[in-house]
Amino acid sequence: MRIHIATDHAGLEFSTQLQHHLAAQGHDVVDHGPVEYDPLDDYPAFCIRAAQAVVRDQAAGVETLGVVFGGSGNGEQIAANKVRGVRAALVWNLATAELAREHNDANVIAIGARQHTFDEAVSFIDRFIATPFSGEERHARRIAQLAAYETDGTLAPDPRA
């Protein structure tokens, strides 16, 4: 599987270790993050490029996921979710990693590199990669609603109306 990753300065050391870990598992790792430490660099461009690459590869039929991370993971998730076709989930434990794929068919996860040990974060990433989307109708229906809104602003009828 191809894994696109991105970070800013907060996750640079983590990124190097993660690339080695994923490559050792046989994944094709593409790094969109910085090449050197700069405490003033900004995560949006790195994370958006990784998210764009995930969408582009998936559209081409390449089995692909993305991982973005920084200090908290929050800004990185927000940045990735600006890309049409991305469903990025903030992950903080094994259950959220699994549910991101199983229920939401997330194609990108965000992790706070300063919030977890390397081993914890890797366990979340490995679980995310290993978990398939359930394909259950209720989950597929909800994802389709998100895609419709993202594409043309369509919302399901308001049940309170």
Side-chain angles (χ1 to χ4, degrees):
M1 177 179 296
R2 184 171 296 153
I3 309 292
H4 291 278
I5 65 171
T7 187
D8 62 3
H9 60 277
L12 188 57
E13 182 179 333
F14 177 93
S15 176
T16 302
Q17 292 177 296
L18 179 61
Q19 289 177 58
H20 292 300
H21 170 78
L22 293 171
Q25 290 186 325
H27 297 293
D28 173 19
V29 181
V30 181
D31 180 22
H32 298 270
V35 294
E36 61 185 26
Y37 183 81
D38 177 357
L40 299 178
D41 67 9
D42 299 315
Y43 62 83
F46 300 129
C47 294
I48 288 170
R49 285 186 177 98
Q52 289 172 325
V54 168
V55 171
R56 190 171 45 250
D57 279 354
Q58 287 182 331
V62 177
E63 187 178 22
T64 307
L65 292 171
V67 180
V68 296
F69 43 93
S72 71
N74 285 310
E76 294 76 18
Q77 177 202 26
I78 292 167
N81 274 321
K82 296 299 180 185
V83 176
R84 182 180 288 185
V86 167
R87 288 175 307 284
L90 181 63
V91 168
W92 62 90
N93 60 26
L94 289 172
T96 57
E98 189 170 311
L99 290 170
R101 289 285 302 136
E102 190 175 283
H103 289 189
N104 306 113
D105 199 17
N107 50 8
V108 174
I109 58 169
I111 298 174
R114 291 180 178 158
Q115 311 305 311
H116 305 283
T117 67
F118 177 75
D119 290 338
E120 287 173 330
V122 166
S123 71
F124 307 158
I125 293 164
D126 288 346
R127 179 70 59 93
F128 174 74
I129 291 169
T131 303
F133 174 53
S134 72
E136 290 181 36
E137 189 278 330
R138 66 188 171 119
H139 300 306
R141 180 181 70 242
R142 294 166 184 161
I143 293 166
Q145 290 174 19
L146 292 170
Y149 181 77
E150 185 177 57
T151 300
D152 63 15
T154 301
L155 285 174
D158 186 342
R160 301 168 299 162

